[in-house]
Amino acid sequence: QVQLVESGGGVVQPGRSLRLSCAASGFTFSSFGIHWVRQAPGKGLEWVAVISYGGDEKYYANSVKGRFTISRDNSKNTLYLQINSLRAEDTAVYYCAKVAYIYDTRIPNFDYWGQGTLVTVSS
Amino acid sequence: QSALTQPRSVSGSPGQSVTISCTGTSSDVGGYDYVSWCQQYPGKAPKLMIFDVTKRPSGVPDRFSGSKSGNTAFLTISGLQAEDEADYYCCSYEGRYTGVIFGEGTKLTVL
């Protein structure tokens, strides 16, 4: 069955960096775009970034552009999110979500989600 | 890049129908047939309930339906059940800037 498992979250000081991972299984990882979506405590869902199935297309929300970098290693079935210069407002649960259509990147039909990993930015 | 507009809360009694709206612009909801709806229980990951405005993934009850008119999309839940009580988010493809935009979220209470 399809599984997405995020890891890498934790408590981090402002200004530091963190790399989140999303390990995928149960489907042909290299054929689907994958998104990162975050949710601050008690708040709604916020789209963060997406990477195409081959890794050549990447798009970011304006709120994270320049600080976040999305990447993937299709040989390891793993998605990454490098977060630099962490701010208090980056505190959130970070989810990876798979698109439903093969070879698609940006259509937001997220048919599978991970359980999320919590990032807390605090001194 | 403001979020799509949803009512903060809606409610209904078991067996009744409720409709949740999701209002955007011609650059997102109104411009593409790529609106989806997710259900989220507290502390859990979202679950896809409707995609491409009207389509239901396998396993989602046919009590859930989607539609769109102009710049507003709708999620209708008929025959309300207690387990439908959750937060619901709409999501749309956005052609101008980010590519994806979420709604503010709506809390559904089953009375």
Side-chain angles (χ1 to χ4, degrees), chain A residues 2 32 97-101 109-113, chain B residues 47-48 57:
Chain A
V2 173
F32 293 88
K98 168 190 167 294
V99 301
Y101 294 143
N109 297 333
F110 305 127
D111 59 349
Y112 289 94
W113 296 68
Chain B
K47 174 187 175 184
L48 184 66

Side-chain angles (χ1 to χ4, degrees), chain B residues 13-75:
Chain B
S13 300
Q16 289 186 331
S17 294
V18 295
T19 296
I20 300 171
S21 61
C22 169
T23 301
T25 69
S26 58
S27 295
D28 39 68
V29 174
Y32 310 91
D33 286 334
Y34 295 135
V35 177
S36 59
W37 291 89
C38 290
Q39 175 192 65
Q40 186 181 35
Y41 294 114
K44 300 295 186 182
K47 174 187 175 184
L48 184 66
M49 305 301 283
I50 295 288
F51 67 100
D52 291 355
V53 179
T54 61
K55 300 175 183 176
R56 258 189 328 274
S58 60
V60 173
D62 59 7
R63 303 185 294 103
F64 291 82
S65 62
S67 61
K68 190 181 82 167
S69 177
N71 295 337
T72 300
F74 303 93
L75 173 70

Side-chain angles (χ1 to χ4, degrees), chain A residues 1-79:
Chain A
Q1 71 281 20
V2 173
Q3 275 197 307
L4 297 169
V5 180
E6 301 93 337
S7 61
V11 180
V12 189
Q13 292 179 328
R16 303 297 290 266
S17 298
L18 199 64
R19 189 176 81 158
L20 306 182
S21 299
C22 169
S25 60
F27 67 102
T28 305
F29 181 72
S30 59
S31 295
F32 293 88
I34 310 285
H35 294 242
W36 285 102
V37 177
R38 69 183 179 182
Q39 186 170 35
K43 302 296 184 181
L45 300 172
E46 179 189 15
W47 179 75
V48 172
V50 59
I51 187 168
S52 61
Y53 63 94
D56 55 328
E57 288 182 67
K58 303 174 186 180
Y59 302 94
Y60 300 90
N62 284 348
S63 58
V64 306
K65 205 173 292 184
R67 294 191 302 120
F68 287 25
T69 301
I70 190 171
S71 62
R72 67 191 296 161
D73 186 337
N74 285 344
S75 68
K76 296 182 179 179
N77 288 353
T78 303
L79 172 77

